[in-house]
Amino acid sequence: QVQLVESGGGLVQAGGSLRLSCAASGSIFSINDMGWYRQAPGKQRELVADITSGGSTNYADSVKGRFTISRDNAKNTVYLQMNSLKPEDTAVYYCNADVRSGRWYPEYRYWGQGTQVTVSS
């Protein structure tokens, strides 16, 4: 079994910054893509950013230039640096990791429990 534990959410004023972290632990042989999604009240979960094991990144248009995703492969951890936050960034943020638990095991996507980010105007 694999666990993803997120931290770093909270309340911040518009224009402020937050840094989210997500550490994966458990039966991990390798991790491929890692990423962050968010879900605001009454809306569908949407991709914020993701990053491959090699460091290639992808961002939603709404966060380009403001958010930066990174990862530490030695620590099985992914980060999301969020700058110039806006009220519309308010949501529960979920991390995910595509994990293989053994050389011959299939890849499976695991999710964190979510962390609340609230941006006040």
Side-chain angles (χ1 to χ4, degrees):
Q1 190 62 284
V2 175
Q3 299 79 38
L4 271 61
V5 178
E6 300 154 349
S7 59
L11 173 64
V12 65
Q13 288 189 332
S17 298
L18 283 174
R19 188 188 193 218
L20 306 182
S21 300
C22 172
S25 63
S27 300
I28 298 173
F29 175 76
S30 63
I31 302 179
N32 193 1
D33 291 357
M34 303 183 81
W36 291 93
Y37 283 69
R38 67 186 181 187
Q39 187 167 20
K43 294 188 176 182
Q44 289 189 329
R45 189 176 295 191
E46 62 176 2
L47 174 69
V48 176
D50 57 22
I51 183 168
T52 69
S53 57
S56 296
T57 58
N58 176 53
Y59 295 93
D61 287 342
S62 59
V63 306
K64 282 181 181 177
R66 300 189 297 122
F67 291 10
T68 301
I69 189 170
S70 61
R71 65 190 281 175
D72 184 333
N73 290 332
K75 296 181 178 180
N76 292 331
T77 300
V78 62
Y79 307 96
L80 187 67
Q81 178 67 44
M82 304 184 294
N83 299 330
S84 302
L85 282 160
K86 305 175 181 179
E88 49 264 43
D89 295 317
T90 295
V92 178
Y93 284 68
Y94 299 89
C95 67
N96 71 269
D98 296 338
V99 178
R100 198 180 299 274
S101 293
R103 182 180 295 276
W104 310 113
Y105 282 50
E107 193 172 90
Y108 185 81
R109 174 160 289 189
Y110 291 90
W111 293 89
Q113 79 285 358
T115 186
Q116 178 70 46
V117 171
T118 303
V119 184
S120 62
S121 57

